[in-house]
């Protein structure tokens, strides 16, 4: 049953899910990069062998693969275990990022965040919790879909990317996807699994 989620904000959009063990969190950024490179190397070897068979170039790639796996093993990274866990962890992360909270669907909810315009008329937006300006100079990571809310306003508004806004509306389930330009010009693909119907917007008094 939908309840009054107005005071709960962004955390209310994330449903309670079973906890899961994510062994990749124990890896350093460098180890994650090496593991990703190793997976790509394995796939490249498989493609080349399938297309041309074994040869000196393949042997060189296999040596590189073995050396990288050995270096990771010396750091305590169990490559085979992690690769075996990859699909399970990816599925759990997808569920965590895209699942909707049925407790708040249909509720009138108030969210504070930043608007990202989706049309030149400035009537359709995505609402996100943190300022898009924070991604500049960083990794341009997109927020999870259940932390992006689509809304359409009856009248266009004056838009300021730096202005934090208070948005109230009836939360509904909806799926949308759009490539938007960040304030530094970097394109980012955003996905939303929520929509606010009848949304009203006012500036936050910072």
């Amino acid at each position: 049953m939908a309840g009054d989620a107005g005071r709960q904000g962004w955390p209310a959009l994330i449903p309670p899910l079973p906890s899961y063990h994510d062994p990749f969190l124990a890896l350093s950024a460098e180890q994650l990069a090496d593991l990703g490179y190793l997976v790509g190397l394995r796939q490249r070897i498989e493609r080349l062998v399938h297309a041309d068979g074994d040869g000196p170039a393949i042997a060189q790639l296999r040596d590189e693969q073995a050396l990288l796996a050995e270096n990771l093993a010396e750091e305590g990274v169990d490559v085979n275990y992690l690769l075996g866990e990859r699909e399970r962890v990816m599925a759990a992360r997808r569920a965590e990022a895209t699942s909707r909270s049925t407790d708040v669907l249909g509720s009138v909810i108030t969210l504070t965040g930043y608007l990202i315009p989706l049309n030149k008329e400035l009537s359709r937006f995505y609402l996100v919790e943190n300022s898009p300006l924070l991604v500049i100079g960083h990794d341009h990571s997109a927020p999870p879909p259940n932390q992006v809310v689509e809304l359409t306003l009856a009248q266009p508004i004056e838009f300021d990317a730096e202005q934090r806004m208070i948005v109230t509306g009836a939360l509904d389930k909806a799926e949308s996807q759009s490539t938007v330009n960040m304030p530094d010009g970097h394109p980012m693909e955003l996905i939303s699994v929520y929509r606010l119907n009848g949304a009203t917007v006012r500036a936050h008094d910072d």
Side-chain angles (χ1 to χ4, degrees), residues 24-37:
F24 295 91
L25 296 178
L27 303 182
S28 67
E30 184 177 356
Q31 288 170 337
L32 281 171
D34 286 345
L35 185 63
Y37 181 74

Side-chain angles (χ1 to χ4, degrees), residues 18-25 81-96:
S19 61
Y20 65 95
H21 174 58
D22 187 344
F24 295 91
L25 296 178
Y81 166 72
L82 289 172
L83 295 184
E85 289 287 281
R86 186 172 57 162
E87 292 298 325
R88 178 189 66 79
V89 172
M90 287 174 61
R93 287 181 178 180
R94 278 194 299 271
E96 189 175 55

Side-chain angles (χ1 to χ4, degrees), residues 152-167:
T152 299
L153 302 176
Q155 298 293 330
I157 63 169
E158 292 187 10
F159 171 70
D160 181 352
E162 299 183 44
Q163 175 64 59
R164 195 152 61 118
M165 309 296 288
I166 300 174
V167 182

Side-chain angles (χ1 to χ4, degrees), residues 53-108:
D54 272 312
I58 300 297
Q60 185 175 358
L61 291 175
R62 290 191 194 279
D63 288 343
E64 183 181 2
Q65 172 186 308
L67 179 60
L68 185 54
E70 181 181 340
N71 290 339
L72 286 169
E74 289 178 355
E75 295 176 1
V77 178
D78 188 334
V79 171
N80 290 330
Y81 166 72
L82 289 172
L83 295 184
E85 289 287 281
R86 186 172 57 162
E87 292 298 325
R88 178 189 66 79
V89 172
M90 287 174 61
R93 287 181 178 180
R94 278 194 299 271
E96 189 175 55
T98 61
S99 295
R100 301 182 183 92
S101 175
T102 57
D103 292 340
V104 292
L105 287 175
S107 298
V108 173

Side-chain angles (χ1 to χ4, degrees), residues 82-157:
L82 289 172
L83 295 184
E85 289 287 281
R86 186 172 57 162
E87 292 298 325
R88 178 189 66 79
V89 172
M90 287 174 61
R93 287 181 178 180
R94 278 194 299 271
E96 189 175 55
T98 61
S99 295
R100 301 182 183 92
S101 175
T102 57
D103 292 340
V104 292
L105 287 175
S107 298
V108 173
I109 187 169
T110 297
L111 299 169
T112 300
Y114 295 83
L115 294 173
I116 299 174
L118 299 179
N119 62 3
K120 63 181 180 181
E121 292 81 15
L122 298 180
S123 61
R124 182 169 171 258
F125 296 88
Y126 279 150
L127 178 69
V128 296
E129 182 177 12
N130 295 313
S131 171
L133 297 172
L134 296 177
V135 305
I136 297 176
H138 297 283
D139 61 357
H140 292 89
S141 296
N146 58 15
Q147 294 290 282
V148 180
V149 178
E150 180 190 0
L151 58 107
T152 299
L153 302 176
Q155 298 293 330
I157 63 169

